[in-house]
Amino acid sequence: MSSIKQQHWGAFGRKVYPLLLPSLPTSGSTALRSLVPGLCTVGRGQPYQENLPAPAAAEPNIGAKFQIVHNYKLGDSCRGFSACASEESIIETSEESCATGRAAGDEDDRNSSHSSASVSQTLLQVESSLHRISAEPTVSDMLVDTHGRRHNYLRISLTERCNLRCKYCMPAEGVELTPGGQLLGDKEVMRLARLFVAEGVDKIRLTGGEPTIRSNIEDICLELSSLPGLKYLAMTTNGLVLARKLPRLRAAGLNQLNISLDSLVPAKFELLTRRRGHAKVLQAINTALELGFNPVKVNVVVMRGFNDDELVDFVELTRSKPINVRFIEFMPFDGNVWSSKKLVSYFEMLSSLREKYPSLSRLKDHPTDTAKNFQVDGFEGTVSFITSMTHSFCSGCNRLRLMADGNFKVCLFGPAEVSLRDAMRSGVDDEGLKQIIGDAVKRKKAAHAGMFDLAKTQNRPMIHIGVRVSSVILKSSVMNPDITGLLMEKTTG
């Protein structure tokens, strides 16, 4: 086990183990210590050496102990635990698992009254939490916000241009594009990507506009995939010109792929995108499968009265192919005429599909997943739901965004942005950039607004996720005075 991992587990064990210990019989404490090598060296009855409050007297039940663990400040090495625990409802589960033991046992002799099954379930809950924490990325403080979320995923928009005109993405009158000289150049993109990866980002997703229309997209992928520490290089594309470029992109290191397709009916595709090309998108999906992308993710924005009658048809794509169909709740952006009447909720979609597929069952999600993942028994592929409107996933958010114009955005639905382009072109060095990025991450809110408030909030059109800019001095107690005032934070008020 590496020294980093040992420190990680050790920090968790030294703080959590003494809290759980009084609630477990001797056999349970032994099992807990054996879960992870080096978890904790403190044994039952031995003194606890760290300068922390001494363990409280035995509580009436182990569920109360989990409540203490859930609220306990575990320190920087285990930030994010509370968010993970709340997502998995560990407290409620542990309370249920111990209900029988509480009813049958005498409070003065709790340890002996716990059934072995109850202890086993409790230990499984602890182990599950430990495994989630061990999977958290190792990132620098620059990428950790004040809510303990670790950001190891950067989305980079390479262009504002697109070869489609999707109605939910772009207003009918089009959008004002940023002049070419104000967009990030290749060297600027790579400088920022290199900085983020060095601080702990291990996944980069290329977006747009439409990223494949950037003429040197293969060269960009090759340079990005060569960055030490980057594990995943992904792309979200409309697929229109993808089939002919994908072999070279694959060879250049692209290893994850999302293709947007909102209808399997060619006429409806043209109506929505205001362009032809349905067959080319299907060809791109097949090419991706042939090249070994697994899964090939297909993004579907579901809109009532347009494509909500195609849910079953999309699920059928997963029957014999490694396709992950991702149903996305319709989201409000400037100019896309969002309405709650057009929104088809996750619960409605799931209920409808279970009428056709009773075996559609939930899969285990990663704590940072934006999707709720399902699979039909016997099907090769999977089905997911992106529930931004009805069931947000802010507590596990690990994403940051770099726009094509160099603006840095910590939340998709937040209007605040900081210009890294202006900082770089004003001579700010990498340490200064890290400070600016870290300050922005620290200002990230715990959650975005509800869908009706979002609909009233001015944000970028989806096509270049801002048009109005006002000067705001970035305030920081450690800000280099030479760069204070050089930066712009976009506001929409």
Side-chain angles (χ1 to χ4, degrees):
M1 185 179 292
S2 68
S3 59
I4 293 178
K5 287 293 183 184
Q6 288 174 338
Q7 294 170 6
H8 191 76
W9 286 114
F12 182 84
R14 287 192 299 273
K15 296 175 188 291
V16 174
Y17 181 75
L19 296 171
L20 291 175
L21 190 60
S23 296
L24 295 175
T26 303
S27 60
S29 64
T30 303
L32 177 59
R33 286 197 300 271
S34 68
L35 285 176
V36 181
L39 175 64
C40 189
T41 58
V42 179
R44 179 176 293 277
Q46 293 178 316
Y48 184 54
Q49 300 296 331
E50 189 167 348
N51 293 324
L52 291 171
E59 297 292 335
N61 58 74
I62 195 170
K65 289 298 179 183
F66 271 107
Q67 181 70 59
I68 294 173
V69 174
H70 177 67
N71 293 326
Y72 204 86
K73 293 182 179 180
L74 301 180
D76 290 343
S77 62
C78 290
R79 278 182 162 174
F81 171 70
S82 295
C84 294
S86 62
E87 282 293 315
E88 298 297 326
S89 304
I90 184 172
I91 298 173
E92 291 77 5
T93 304
S94 60
E95 287 280 7
E96 290 172 5
S97 70
C98 296
T100 302
R102 289 200 305 269
D106 184 349
E107 185 171 316
D108 293 333
D109 193 23
R110 282 177 306 105
N111 291 334
S112 61
S113 68
H114 277 296
S115 66
S116 58
S118 176
V119 172
S120 297
Q121 288 180 339
T122 300
L123 292 175
L124 285 174
Q125 289 293 330
V126 175
E127 185 175 18
S128 176
S129 298
L130 291 171
H131 287 169
R132 282 196 301 273
I133 294 169
S134 70
E136 285 188 353
T138 302
V139 298
S140 74
D141 183 68
M142 180 188 90
L143 299 175
V144 182
D145 66 20
T146 58
H147 309 286
R149 295 171 297 198
R150 297 166 176 265
H151 299 80
N152 65 318
Y153 180 1
L154 178 67
R155 300 172 66 98
I156 301 178
S157 172
L158 293 178
T159 179
E160 297 174 350
R161 298 182 180 276
C162 187
N163 44 8
L164 294 180
R165 295 292 182 270
C166 299
K167 293 182 178 179
Y168 61 78
C169 185
M170 185 182 294
E173 65 274 15
V175 296
E176 182 179 351
L177 298 175
T178 304
Q182 296 180 25
L183 298 175
L184 292 180
D186 293 348
K187 292 182 179 180
E188 292 171 318
V189 169
M190 287 308 306
R191 178 184 173 186
L192 290 172
R194 193 173 292 110
L195 186 153
F196 275 98
V197 172
E199 297 302 307
V201 164
D202 60 12
K203 179 175 180 178
I204 289 178
R205 177 175 295 277
L206 303 178
T207 68
E210 171 51 41
T212 60
I213 66 175
R214 186 139 174 171
S215 59
N216 63 339
I217 182 64
E218 296 92 345
D219 295 334
I220 293 174
C221 284
L222 182 61
E223 197 165 355
L224 287 172
S225 66
S226 301
L227 292 176
L230 188 70
K231 299 177 182 177
Y232 309 105
L233 181 60
M235 180 184 291
T236 296
T237 169
N238 61 33
L240 208 58
V241 299
L242 182 64
R244 60 185 173 85
K245 291 191 173 188
L246 195 52
R248 294 192 299 275
L249 290 170
R250 182 66 157 166
L254 187 71
N255 55 25
Q256 293 187 349
L257 189 63
N258 289 50
I259 301 175
S260 299
L261 178 63
D262 300 310
S263 178
L264 297 173
V265 180
K268 289 167 70 173
F269 174 89
E270 293 181 22
L271 178 66
L272 179 67
T273 65
R274 305 183 180 108
R275 296 288 188 275
R276 296 180 179 178
H278 187 264
K280 293 181 179 179
V281 181
L282 294 179
Q283 182 185 359
I285 294 173
N286 286 326
T287 300
L289 291 168
E290 292 169 0
L291 290 173
F293 285 90
N294 186 357
V296 175
K297 297 183 178 182
V298 177
N299 292 351
V300 185
V301 177
V302 180
M303 293 163 282
R304 191 180 306 281
F306 179 75
N307 61 353
D308 55 330
D309 59 340
E310 297 186 57
L311 299 182
V312 169
D313 295 333
F314 273 105
V315 172
E316 284 298 318
L317 294 179
T318 73
R319 181 178 289 273
S320 58
K321 296 178 180 179
I323 291 176
N324 171 224
V325 172
R326 302 166 72 81
F327 294 120
I328 303 172
E329 291 180 339
F330 186 33
M331 297 177 281
F333 290 93
D334 278 10
N336 72 349
V337 198
W338 181 87
S339 167
S340 61
K341 295 180 180 179
K342 297 179 183 178
L343 172 68
V344 183
S345 73
Y346 151 59
F347 302 102
E348 184 178 347
M349 288 187 276
L350 182 60
S351 298
S352 174
L353 287 173
R354 277 185 165 158
E355 291 181 4
K356 172 69 175 178
Y357 306 104
S359 66
L360 182 65
S361 56
R362 184 74 179 264
L363 302 176
K364 185 175 181 179
D365 304 328
H366 189 277
T368 62
D369 274 350
T370 60
K372 294 172 176 58
N373 302 299
F374 293 76
Q375 187 171 35
V376 179
D377 283 355
F379 281 29
E380 184 174 355
T382 55
V383 178
S384 301
F385 300 89
I386 313 295
T387 62
S388 304
M389 296 294 95
T390 63
H391 195 281
S392 69
F393 32 81
C394 299
S395 64
C397 182
N398 66 337
R399 293 153 179 77
L400 301 170
R401 288 171 167 79
L402 179 63
M403 304 295 104
D405 61 2
N407 276 24
F408 178 57
K409 194 174 177 74
V410 297
C411 176
L412 173 63
F413 296 109
E417 303 177 5
V418 177
S419 178
L420 301 182
R421 176 202 66 200
D422 291 352
M424 289 189 293
R425 295 181 184 182
S426 299
V428 176
D429 62 14
D430 283 359
E431 289 302 313
L433 288 174
K434 288 194 288 186
Q435 181 182 303
I436 295 165
I437 293 166
D439 286 348
V441 171
K442 295 294 185 288
R443 292 193 297 271
K444 185 171 181 175
K445 296 180 179 180
H448 62 66
M451 63 180 178
F452 294 107
D453 290 329
L454 286 174
K456 300 174 185 176
T457 302
Q458 189 174 14
N459 196 359
R460 290 189 184 226
M462 196 172 179
I463 186 66
H464 61 68
I465 259 290
V467 176
R468 292 184 226 158
V469 180
S470 61
S471 298
V472 177
I473 297 178
L474 278 173
K475 298 179 181 179
S476 172
S477 59
V478 294
M479 177 67 77
N480 183 335
D482 294 333
I483 64 174
T484 300
L486 293 175
L487 308 175
M488 309 285 279
E489 184 176 274
K490 288 204 170 186
T491 62
T492 56

